[in-house]
Amino acid sequence: MMERKALVIAVLGAGNIGRTLGKKWSQAGHELHFGVSDPAGKNAQLVHSEFGDQATVGTIEDALQKQPDVVLIALPGPAVEEVARQYATRLDGRIIVDAANRVGEDSMHNLGHFQQHTPQAQLYRAFNSLGWENFAEPNFEGIQADLFYCGTDGATRATVEQLISEVGLRPVYLGGVDKVGVMDAVASLWFALVFGQKKPRHLAFKVLGM
């Protein structure tokens, strides 16, 4: 059985994805710090009302000053490159999980920017291929949904799998950072079904035969 660790987690972005994942991780006993562009804005106020004293919310700098073990990138996709550049010193060497999508662009992910600015970080791509509703409720009539992810194949993989499992999803590893294009394709599949075919947003994937 995987050894469970209590973590300090910085969630950059407090939209539906960031807050939903943050709730699951807070319930699992982790220390949560939200970093947002506007600490007085709507999303920050939602963190205050939904988390109370179970999480802090401030600027991105505030969250990263907490020396997090893991940084979840849940910002709007186009905003991530500047964050990677501006906060490179604080981000480098940490576990970074990119959940942001640059929708409509040639590349949906931002791992290249982190590779450039934070070369010592442990990079992962996860939580980008499903809508937040599936993180809030990952069970489908008794069947646990899967979550695909990719990234560094080392000791930190266990931490990422722990976080996925604590959301209630079964982690399915696709390979190293070179598989990030496959992750984007899975996200595109979800978008095609939900937005193109008007399927319900509570829609996830299951790998059979594992």
Side-chain angles (χ1 to χ4, degrees), residues 139-169:
N139 206 281
F140 291 75
E141 298 183 357
I143 299 174
Q144 180 188 37
D146 291 341
L147 187 79
F148 299 105
Y149 79 103
C150 71
T152 308
D153 188 8
T156 54
R157 246 190 76 192
T159 298
V160 176
E161 293 213 341
Q162 173 187 326
L163 292 174
I164 295 171
S165 297
E166 287 170 343
V167 173
L169 296 153

PDB file of all heavy atoms in Angstrom, residues 139-169:
ATOM      1  N   ASN A 139     -17.630   9.029  -8.930  1.00  0.00           N
ATOM      2  CA  ASN A 139     -18.241   7.702  -8.922  1.00  0.00           C
ATOM      3  C   ASN A 139     -19.464   7.678  -9.819  1.00  0.00           C
ATOM      4  O   ASN A 139     -20.300   8.590  -9.775  1.00  0.00           O
ATOM      5  CB  ASN A 139     -18.622   7.322  -7.490  1.00  0.00           C
ATOM      6  CG  ASN A 139     -18.655   5.829  -7.285  1.00  0.00           C
ATOM      7  OD1 ASN A 139     -19.607   5.186  -7.670  1.00  0.00           O
ATOM      8  ND2 ASN A 139     -17.608   5.288  -6.660  1.00  0.00           N
ATOM      9  N   PHE A 140     -19.583   6.632 -10.629  1.00  0.00           N
ATOM     10  CA  PHE A 140     -20.686   6.496 -11.573  1.00  0.00           C
ATOM     11  C   PHE A 140     -21.420   5.195 -11.277  1.00  0.00           C
ATOM     12  O   PHE A 140     -21.000   4.130 -11.731  1.00  0.00           O
ATOM     13  CB  PHE A 140     -20.165   6.520 -13.017  1.00  0.00           C
ATOM     14  CG  PHE A 140     -19.622   7.857 -13.445  1.00  0.00           C
ATOM     15  CD1 PHE A 140     -18.382   8.285 -13.001  1.00  0.00           C
ATOM     16  CD2 PHE A 140     -20.365   8.694 -14.256  1.00  0.00           C
ATOM     17  CE1 PHE A 140     -17.875   9.510 -13.377  1.00  0.00           C
ATOM     18  CE2 PHE A 140     -19.870   9.933 -14.638  1.00  0.00           C
ATOM     19  CZ  PHE A 140     -18.634  10.345 -14.199  1.00  0.00           C
ATOM     20  N   GLU A 141     -22.456   5.289 -10.461  1.00  0.00           N
ATOM     21  CA  GLU A 141     -23.250   4.119 -10.078  1.00  0.00           C
ATOM     22  C   GLU A 141     -22.351   2.988  -9.588  1.00  0.00           C
ATOM     23  O   GLU A 141     -22.483   1.838  -9.997  1.00  0.00           O
ATOM     24  CB  GLU A 141     -24.139   3.670 -11.238  1.00  0.00           C
ATOM     25  CG  GLU A 141     -25.156   4.718 -11.661  1.00  0.00           C
ATOM     26  CD  GLU A 141     -26.075   4.232 -12.766  1.00  0.00           C
ATOM     27  OE1 GLU A 141     -25.879   3.095 -13.252  1.00  0.00           O
ATOM     28  OE2 GLU A 141     -26.976   4.987 -13.138  1.00  0.00           O
ATOM     29  N   GLY A 142     -21.438   3.354  -8.722  1.00  0.00           N
ATOM     30  CA  GLY A 142     -20.550   2.363  -8.120  1.00  0.00           C
ATOM     31  C   GLY A 142     -19.264   2.108  -8.874  1.00  0.00           C
ATOM     32  O   GLY A 142     -18.416   1.350  -8.410  1.00  0.00           O
ATOM     33  N   ILE A 143     -19.074   2.754 -10.030  1.00  0.00           N
ATOM     34  CA  ILE A 143     -17.860   2.580 -10.823  1.00  0.00           C
ATOM     35  C   ILE A 143     -16.982   3.812 -10.658  1.00  0.00           C
ATOM     36  O   ILE A 143     -17.434   4.944 -10.885  1.00  0.00           O
ATOM     37  CB  ILE A 143     -18.187   2.360 -12.313  1.00  0.00           C
ATOM     38  CG1 ILE A 143     -19.027   1.088 -12.485  1.00  0.00           C
ATOM     39  CG2 ILE A 143     -16.895   2.261 -13.132  1.00  0.00           C
ATOM     40  CD1 ILE A 143     -19.516   0.870 -13.897  1.00  0.00           C
ATOM     41  N   GLN A 144     -15.737   3.579 -10.263  1.00  0.00           N
ATOM     42  CA  GLN A 144     -14.790   4.668 -10.068  1.00  0.00           C
ATOM     43  C   GLN A 144     -14.206   5.108 -11.406  1.00  0.00           C
ATOM     44  O   GLN A 144     -13.715   4.298 -12.185  1.00  0.00           O
ATOM     45  CB  GLN A 144     -13.659   4.206  -9.138  1.00  0.00           C
ATOM     46  CG  GLN A 144     -12.589   5.241  -8.851  1.00  0.00           C
ATOM     47  CD  GLN A 144     -11.419   4.640  -8.083  1.00  0.00           C
ATOM     48  OE1 GLN A 144     -11.041   3.493  -8.324  1.00  0.00           O
ATOM     49  NE2 GLN A 144     -10.849   5.401  -7.164  1.00  0.00           N
ATOM     50  N   ALA A 145     -14.258   6.414 -11.676  1.00  0.00           N
ATOM     51  CA  ALA A 145     -13.680   6.939 -12.915  1.00  0.00           C
ATOM     52  C   ALA A 145     -12.156   6.929 -12.840  1.00  0.00           C
ATOM     53  O   ALA A 145     -11.569   6.937 -11.758  1.00  0.00           O
ATOM     54  CB  ALA A 145     -14.185   8.353 -13.169  1.00  0.00           C
ATOM     55  N   ASP A 146     -11.522   6.892 -14.009  1.00  0.00           N
ATOM     56  CA  ASP A 146     -10.070   6.944 -14.106  1.00  0.00           C
ATOM     57  C   ASP A 146      -9.625   8.369 -14.419  1.00  0.00           C
ATOM     58  O   ASP A 146     -10.361   9.155 -15.018  1.00  0.00           O
ATOM     59  CB  ASP A 146      -9.567   6.029 -15.227  1.00  0.00           C
ATOM     60  CG  ASP A 146      -9.758   4.558 -14.906  1.00  0.00           C
ATOM     61  OD1 ASP A 146      -9.930   4.215 -13.719  1.00  0.00           O
ATOM     62  OD2 ASP A 146      -9.741   3.745 -15.856  1.00  0.00           O
ATOM     63  N   LEU A 147      -8.390   8.690 -14.033  1.00  0.00           N
ATOM     64  CA  LEU A 147      -7.787   9.951 -14.431  1.00  0.00           C
ATOM     65  C   LEU A 147      -6.417   9.660 -15.033  1.00  0.00           C
ATOM     66  O   LEU A 147      -5.538   9.107 -14.374  1.00  0.00           O
ATOM     67  CB  LEU A 147      -7.625  10.907 -13.247  1.00  0.00           C
ATOM     68  CG  LEU A 147      -7.146  12.293 -13.703  1.00  0.00           C
ATOM     69  CD1 LEU A 147      -8.306  13.097 -14.277  1.00  0.00           C
ATOM     70  CD2 LEU A 147      -6.475  13.061 -12.584  1.00  0.00           C
ATOM     71  N   PHE A 148      -6.244  10.027 -16.297  1.00  0.00           N
ATOM     72  CA  PHE A 148      -4.958   9.887 -16.964  1.00  0.00           C
ATOM     73  C   PHE A 148      -4.017  10.999 -16.504  1.00  0.00           C
ATOM     74  O   PHE A 148      -4.443  12.131 -16.258  1.00  0.00           O
ATOM     75  CB  PHE A 148      -5.130   9.959 -18.478  1.00  0.00           C
ATOM     76  CG  PHE A 148      -6.005   8.876 -19.039  1.00  0.00           C
ATOM     77  CD1 PHE A 148      -7.306   9.155 -19.455  1.00  0.00           C
ATOM     78  CD2 PHE A 148      -5.539   7.577 -19.142  1.00  0.00           C
ATOM     79  CE1 PHE A 148      -8.115   8.156 -19.969  1.00  0.00           C
ATOM     80  CE2 PHE A 148      -6.347   6.566 -19.656  1.00  0.00           C
ATOM     81  CZ  PHE A 148      -7.637   6.863 -20.063  1.00  0.00           C
ATOM     82  N   TYR A 149      -2.745  10.660 -16.408  1.00  0.00           N
ATOM     83  CA  TYR A 149      -1.747  11.686 -16.096  1.00  0.00           C
ATOM     84  C   TYR A 149      -0.416  11.256 -16.683  1.00  0.00           C
ATOM     85  O   TYR A 149      -0.194  10.090 -17.009  1.00  0.00           O
ATOM     86  CB  TYR A 149      -1.646  11.916 -14.579  1.00  0.00           C
ATOM     87  CG  TYR A 149      -0.833  10.877 -13.828  1.00  0.00           C
ATOM     88  CD1 TYR A 149       0.469  11.146 -13.400  1.00  0.00           C
ATOM     89  CD2 TYR A 149      -1.358   9.615 -13.535  1.00  0.00           C
ATOM     90  CE1 TYR A 149       1.216  10.205 -12.710  1.00  0.00           C
ATOM     91  CE2 TYR A 149      -0.617   8.667 -12.847  1.00  0.00           C
ATOM     92  CZ  TYR A 149       0.665   8.970 -12.436  1.00  0.00           C
ATOM     93  OH  TYR A 149       1.415   8.027 -11.760  1.00  0.00           O
ATOM     94  N   CYS A 150       0.486  12.220 -16.833  1.00  0.00           N
ATOM     95  CA  CYS A 150       1.834  11.923 -17.300  1.00  0.00           C
ATOM     96  C   CYS A 150       2.813  12.823 -16.565  1.00  0.00           C
ATOM     97  O   CYS A 150       2.428  13.800 -15.922  1.00  0.00           O
ATOM     98  CB  CYS A 150       1.956  12.109 -18.820  1.00  0.00           C
ATOM     99  SG  CYS A 150       1.909  13.819 -19.390  1.00  0.00           S
ATOM    100  N   GLY A 151       4.086  12.480 -16.645  1.00  0.00           N
ATOM    101  CA  GLY A 151       5.105  13.307 -16.008  1.00  0.00           C
ATOM    102  C   GLY A 151       6.289  12.507 -15.537  1.00  0.00           C
ATOM    103  O   GLY A 151       6.480  11.341 -15.911  1.00  0.00           O
ATOM    104  N   THR A 152       7.095  13.132 -14.699  1.00  0.00           N
ATOM    105  CA  THR A 152       8.351  12.576 -14.223  1.00  0.00           C
ATOM    106  C   THR A 152       8.160  11.189 -13.625  1.00  0.00           C
ATOM    107  O   THR A 152       7.335  11.001 -12.726  1.00  0.00           O
ATOM    108  CB  THR A 152       8.962  13.501 -13.155  1.00  0.00           C
ATOM    109  OG1 THR A 152       9.020  14.833 -13.673  1.00  0.00           O
ATOM    110  CG2 THR A 152      10.356  13.052 -12.770  1.00  0.00           C
ATOM    111  N   ASP A 153       8.901  10.220 -14.121  1.00  0.00           N
ATOM    112  CA  ASP A 153       8.797   8.854 -13.602  1.00  0.00           C
ATOM    113  C   ASP A 153       9.864   8.669 -12.532  1.00  0.00           C
ATOM    114  O   ASP A 153      10.939   8.122 -12.766  1.00  0.00           O
ATOM    115  CB  ASP A 153       8.979   7.834 -14.728  1.00  0.00           C
ATOM    116  CG  ASP A 153       8.681   6.417 -14.249  1.00  0.00           C
ATOM    117  OD1 ASP A 153       8.198   6.263 -13.115  1.00  0.00           O
ATOM    118  OD2 ASP A 153       8.950   5.475 -15.014  1.00  0.00           O
ATOM    119  N   GLY A 154       9.553   9.147 -11.335  1.00  0.00           N
ATOM    120  CA  GLY A 154      10.492   9.045 -10.227  1.00  0.00           C
ATOM    121  C   GLY A 154       9.735   8.936  -8.920  1.00  0.00           C
ATOM    122  O   GLY A 154       8.549   8.593  -8.894  1.00  0.00           O
ATOM    123  N   ALA A 155      10.417   9.253  -7.836  1.00  0.00           N
ATOM    124  CA  ALA A 155       9.821   9.094  -6.511  1.00  0.00           C
ATOM    125  C   ALA A 155       8.592   9.974  -6.315  1.00  0.00           C
ATOM    126  O   ALA A 155       7.676   9.615  -5.566  1.00  0.00           O
ATOM    127  CB  ALA A 155      10.864   9.409  -5.439  1.00  0.00           C
ATOM    128  N   THR A 156       8.545  11.125  -6.989  1.00  0.00           N
ATOM    129  CA  THR A 156       7.423  12.036  -6.786  1.00  0.00           C
ATOM    130  C   THR A 156       6.141  11.554  -7.453  1.00  0.00           C
ATOM    131  O   THR A 156       5.062  12.078  -7.171  1.00  0.00           O
ATOM    132  CB  THR A 156       7.766  13.446  -7.308  1.00  0.00           C
ATOM    133  OG1 THR A 156       8.206  13.346  -8.675  1.00  0.00           O
ATOM    134  CG2 THR A 156       8.862  14.072  -6.471  1.00  0.00           C
ATOM    135  N   ARG A 157       6.247  10.553  -8.312  1.00  0.00           N
ATOM    136  CA  ARG A 157       5.028  10.009  -8.938  1.00  0.00           C
ATOM    137  C   ARG A 157       4.053   9.495  -7.897  1.00  0.00           C
ATOM    138  O   ARG A 157       2.831   9.621  -8.052  1.00  0.00           O
ATOM    139  CB  ARG A 157       5.403   8.846  -9.871  1.00  0.00           C
ATOM    140  CG  ARG A 157       5.149   9.115 -11.334  1.00  0.00           C
ATOM    141  CD  ARG A 157       5.318   7.855 -12.153  1.00  0.00           C
ATOM    142  NE  ARG A 157       4.189   6.953 -12.012  1.00  0.00           N
ATOM    143  CZ  ARG A 157       4.172   5.701 -12.437  1.00  0.00           C
ATOM    144  NH1 ARG A 157       5.245   5.194 -13.008  1.00  0.00           N
ATOM    145  NH2 ARG A 157       3.101   4.959 -12.281  1.00  0.00           N
ATOM    146  N   ALA A 158       4.573   8.919  -6.812  1.00  0.00           N
ATOM    147  CA  ALA A 158       3.704   8.388  -5.759  1.00  0.00           C
ATOM    148  C   ALA A 158       2.883   9.497  -5.126  1.00  0.00           C
ATOM    149  O   ALA A 158       1.718   9.288  -4.752  1.00  0.00           O
ATOM    150  CB  ALA A 158       4.537   7.665  -4.700  1.00  0.00           C
ATOM    151  N   THR A 159       3.460  10.688  -5.006  1.00  0.00           N
ATOM    152  CA  THR A 159       2.738  11.815  -4.436  1.00  0.00           C
ATOM    153  C   THR A 159       1.585  12.228  -5.337  1.00  0.00           C
ATOM    154  O   THR A 159       0.471  12.492  -4.874  1.00  0.00           O
ATOM    155  CB  THR A 159       3.690  13.003  -4.217  1.00  0.00           C
ATOM    156  OG1 THR A 159       4.702  12.621  -3.284  1.00  0.00           O
ATOM    157  CG2 THR A 159       2.950  14.212  -3.679  1.00  0.00           C
ATOM    158  N   VAL A 160       1.832  12.277  -6.637  1.00  0.00           N
ATOM    159  CA  VAL A 160       0.790  12.657  -7.586  1.00  0.00           C
ATOM    160  C   VAL A 160      -0.322  11.606  -7.591  1.00  0.00           C
ATOM    161  O   VAL A 160      -1.514  11.940  -7.617  1.00  0.00           O
ATOM    162  CB  VAL A 160       1.381  12.868  -8.987  1.00  0.00           C
ATOM    163  CG1 VAL A 160       0.285  13.174 -10.003  1.00  0.00           C
ATOM    164  CG2 VAL A 160       2.403  14.001  -8.959  1.00  0.00           C
ATOM    165  N   GLU A 161       0.058  10.339  -7.549  1.00  0.00           N
ATOM    166  CA  GLU A 161      -0.962   9.282  -7.506  1.00  0.00           C
ATOM    167  C   GLU A 161      -1.773   9.362  -6.215  1.00  0.00           C
ATOM    168  O   GLU A 161      -2.987   9.109  -6.223  1.00  0.00           O
ATOM    169  CB  GLU A 161      -0.308   7.917  -7.666  1.00  0.00           C
ATOM    170  CG  GLU A 161       0.290   7.700  -9.037  1.00  0.00           C
ATOM    171  CD  GLU A 161       0.214   6.242  -9.509  1.00  0.00           C
ATOM    172  OE1 GLU A 161       0.026   5.351  -8.653  1.00  0.00           O
ATOM    173  OE2 GLU A 161       0.334   6.020 -10.729  1.00  0.00           O
ATOM    174  N   GLN A 162      -1.123   9.706  -5.113  1.00  0.00           N
ATOM    175  CA  GLN A 162      -1.843   9.884  -3.851  1.00  0.00           C
ATOM    176  C   GLN A 162      -2.901  10.980  -3.996  1.00  0.00           C
ATOM    177  O   GLN A 162      -4.058  10.795  -3.589  1.00  0.00           O
ATOM    178  CB  GLN A 162      -0.876  10.256  -2.733  1.00  0.00           C
ATOM    179  CG  GLN A 162      -1.561  10.634  -1.422  1.00  0.00           C
ATOM    180  CD  GLN A 162      -0.593  11.162  -0.378  1.00  0.00           C
ATOM    181  OE1 GLN A 162       0.553  10.717  -0.308  1.00  0.00           O
ATOM    182  NE2 GLN A 162      -1.031  12.109   0.424  1.00  0.00           N
ATOM    183  N   LEU A 163      -2.528  12.109  -4.588  1.00  0.00           N
ATOM    184  CA  LEU A 163      -3.458  13.220  -4.737  1.00  0.00           C
ATOM    185  C   LEU A 163      -4.621  12.859  -5.651  1.00  0.00           C
ATOM    186  O   LEU A 163      -5.771  13.247  -5.397  1.00  0.00           O
ATOM    187  CB  LEU A 163      -2.720  14.450  -5.273  1.00  0.00           C
ATOM    188  CG  LEU A 163      -1.707  15.068  -4.305  1.00  0.00           C
ATOM    189  CD1 LEU A 163      -0.934  16.179  -5.002  1.00  0.00           C
ATOM    190  CD2 LEU A 163      -2.392  15.589  -3.053  1.00  0.00           C
ATOM    191  N   ILE A 164      -4.344  12.125  -6.728  1.00  0.00           N
ATOM    192  CA  ILE A 164      -5.425  11.684  -7.620  1.00  0.00           C
ATOM    193  C   ILE A 164      -6.360  10.741  -6.879  1.00  0.00           C
ATOM    194  O   ILE A 164      -7.588  10.870  -6.952  1.00  0.00           O
ATOM    195  CB  ILE A 164      -4.838  11.007  -8.874  1.00  0.00           C
ATOM    196  CG1 ILE A 164      -4.050  12.020  -9.715  1.00  0.00           C
ATOM    197  CG2 ILE A 164      -5.949  10.363  -9.710  1.00  0.00           C
ATOM    198  CD1 ILE A 164      -3.259  11.404 -10.850  1.00  0.00           C
ATOM    199  N   SER A 165      -5.798   9.802  -6.137  1.00  0.00           N
ATOM    200  CA  SER A 165      -6.608   8.832  -5.399  1.00  0.00           C
ATOM    201  C   SER A 165      -7.457   9.514  -4.336  1.00  0.00           C
ATOM    202  O   SER A 165      -8.604   9.111  -4.086  1.00  0.00           O
ATOM    203  CB  SER A 165      -5.709   7.775  -4.752  1.00  0.00           C
ATOM    204  OG  SER A 165      -5.003   7.036  -5.736  1.00  0.00           O
ATOM    205  N   GLU A 166      -6.920  10.549  -3.704  1.00  0.00           N
ATOM    206  CA  GLU A 166      -7.670  11.246  -2.657  1.00  0.00           C
ATOM    207  C   GLU A 166      -8.841  12.039  -3.212  1.00  0.00           C
ATOM    208  O   GLU A 166      -9.795  12.342  -2.483  1.00  0.00           O
ATOM    209  CB  GLU A 166      -6.731  12.154  -1.866  1.00  0.00           C
ATOM    210  CG  GLU A 166      -5.807  11.363  -0.947  1.00  0.00           C
ATOM    211  CD  GLU A 166      -4.713  12.197  -0.328  1.00  0.00           C
ATOM    212  OE1 GLU A 166      -4.429  13.308  -0.819  1.00  0.00           O
ATOM    213  OE2 GLU A 166      -4.116  11.720   0.666  1.00  0.00           O
ATOM    214  N   VAL A 167      -8.808  12.345  -4.486  1.00  0.00           N
ATOM    215  CA  VAL A 167      -9.965  12.964  -5.131  1.00  0.00           C
ATOM    216  C   VAL A 167     -11.067  11.926  -5.369  1.00  0.00           C
ATOM    217  O   VAL A 167     -12.235  12.263  -5.527  1.00  0.00           O
ATOM    218  CB  VAL A 167      -9.532  13.651  -6.444  1.00  0.00           C
ATOM    219  CG1 VAL A 167     -10.717  14.164  -7.248  1.00  0.00           C
ATOM    220  CG2 VAL A 167      -8.578  14.798  -6.140  1.00  0.00           C
ATOM    221  N   GLY A 168     -10.665  10.645  -5.375  1.00  0.00           N
ATOM    222  CA  GLY A 168     -11.614   9.562  -5.597  1.00  0.00           C
ATOM    223  C   GLY A 168     -11.495   8.922  -6.958  1.00  0.00           C
ATOM    224  O   GLY A 168     -12.305   8.066  -7.325  1.00  0.00           O
ATOM    225  N   LEU A 169     -10.475   9.298  -7.714  1.00  0.00           N
ATOM    226  CA  LEU A 169     -10.240   8.766  -9.045  1.00  0.00           C
ATOM    227  C   LEU A 169      -9.122   7.729  -9.025  1.00  0.00           C
ATOM    228  O   LEU A 169      -8.277   7.732  -8.130  1.00  0.00           O
ATOM    229  CB  LEU A 169      -9.846   9.900  -9.994  1.00  0.00           C
ATOM    230  CG  LEU A 169     -10.923  10.967 -10.217  1.00  0.00           C
ATOM    231  CD1 LEU A 169     -10.285  12.291 -10.583  1.00  0.00           C
ATOM    232  CD2 LEU A 169     -11.900  10.521 -11.295  1.00  0.00           C
TER     233      LEU A 169
END
